[in-house]
């Protein structure tokens, strides 16, 4: 019965599959099903044009779908990569520690054996640098593994 229904739908099978994949994209994380769904819809559009031709059997349709899936996934990856490399007016937006480079602060605890603590705004950060007494003014020069590197200001 299911095969009978699928055979009667004809090229609309691909359209249905495409829209199901696009709907599934909303429910799952990632962007991969989008490109496969687009390939299924394109295969359906081609099938609408070529339906009834002798060479347009299910084997050819599957091959076209696979080729379009690869092409659309590759194009989607290129599109996403090009958007990721765009210049932004806030390059350190999600890199909080790197935003602190260049700021000055007073040591909360002395730097002893290379490590101490400094308070910046509402956070206490671990710092590394030359041994200095608590209360000394320091300048943040770099960030490594979540530790701020400082020098005497």
């Amino acid at each position: 019965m299911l095969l009978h229904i699928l055979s009667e739908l004809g090229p609309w099978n691909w359209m249905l599959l495409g829209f199901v994949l696009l709907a599934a994209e909303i429910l799952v994380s990632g962007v991969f099903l989008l490109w496969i769904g687009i390939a299924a819809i394109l295969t359906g559009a081609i099938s609408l044009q070529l339906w009834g031709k002798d060479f347009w059997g299910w084997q050819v349709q599957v091959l076209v779908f696979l080729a379009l899936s690869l092409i659309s996934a590759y194009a989607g990856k290129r599109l996403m990569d090009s958007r990721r490399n765009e210049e932004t007016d806030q390059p350190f937006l999600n890199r909080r520690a790197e935003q602190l480079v260049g700021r000055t602060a007073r040591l909360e605890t002395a730097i002893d054996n290379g490590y101490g603590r400094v308070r910046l705004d509402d956070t206490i950060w671990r710092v590394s640098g030359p041994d200095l007494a608590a209360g000394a003014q320091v300048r943040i020069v770099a960030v490594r593994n979540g530790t701020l590197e400082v020098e005497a200001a």
Side-chain angles (χ1 to χ4, degrees):
M1 181 172 160
L2 184 61
L3 291 175
H4 178 68
I5 292 171
L6 291 177
S7 66
E8 284 191 15
L9 283 175
W12 295 103
N13 288 328
W14 291 110
M15 297 288 200
L16 180 64
L17 175 65
F19 288 119
V20 166
L21 288 170
L22 292 178
E25 177 65 39
I26 295 170
L27 301 175
V28 298
S29 63
V31 189
F32 191 70
L33 292 177
L34 172 70
W35 311 116
I36 298 174
I38 289 172
I41 291 172
L42 288 175
T43 304
I46 294 169
S47 291
L48 284 173
Q49 300 299 318
L50 300 177
W51 195 254
K53 304 284 185 196
D54 290 335
F55 67 92
W56 194 249
W58 68 269
Q59 299 92 339
V60 174
Q61 292 177 40
V62 169
L63 288 175
V64 167
F65 170 68
L66 293 174
L68 288 174
S69 294
L70 290 173
I71 291 168
S72 65
Y74 178 74
K77 181 177 177 358
R78 299 268 310 206
L79 176 70
M80 294 299 181
D81 285 344
S82 69
R83 292 183 64 208
R84 190 172 294 143
N85 294 332
E86 289 179 358
E87 290 291 325
T88 177
D89 60 340
Q90 296 179 354
F92 297 119
L93 180 63
N94 291 319
R95 300 185 302 192
R96 184 174 177 212
E98 293 176 20
Q99 293 177 5
L100 302 175
V101 173
R103 287 188 58 181
T104 59
R106 295 207 181 276
L107 286 175
E108 187 83 9
T109 62
I111 298 179
D112 188 26
N113 292 327
Y115 293 98
R117 301 211 178 270
V118 68
R119 178 181 295 273
L120 286 167
D121 300 326
D122 62 347
T123 306
I124 296 178
W125 293 85
R126 183 176 187 200
V127 295
S128 67
D131 288 350
L132 294 168
Q137 189 81 7
V138 292
R139 177 178 294 110
I140 302 161
V141 294
V143 178
R144 285 211 177 87
N145 300 327
T147 300
L148 305 177
E149 293 186 8
V150 297
E151 63 182 18

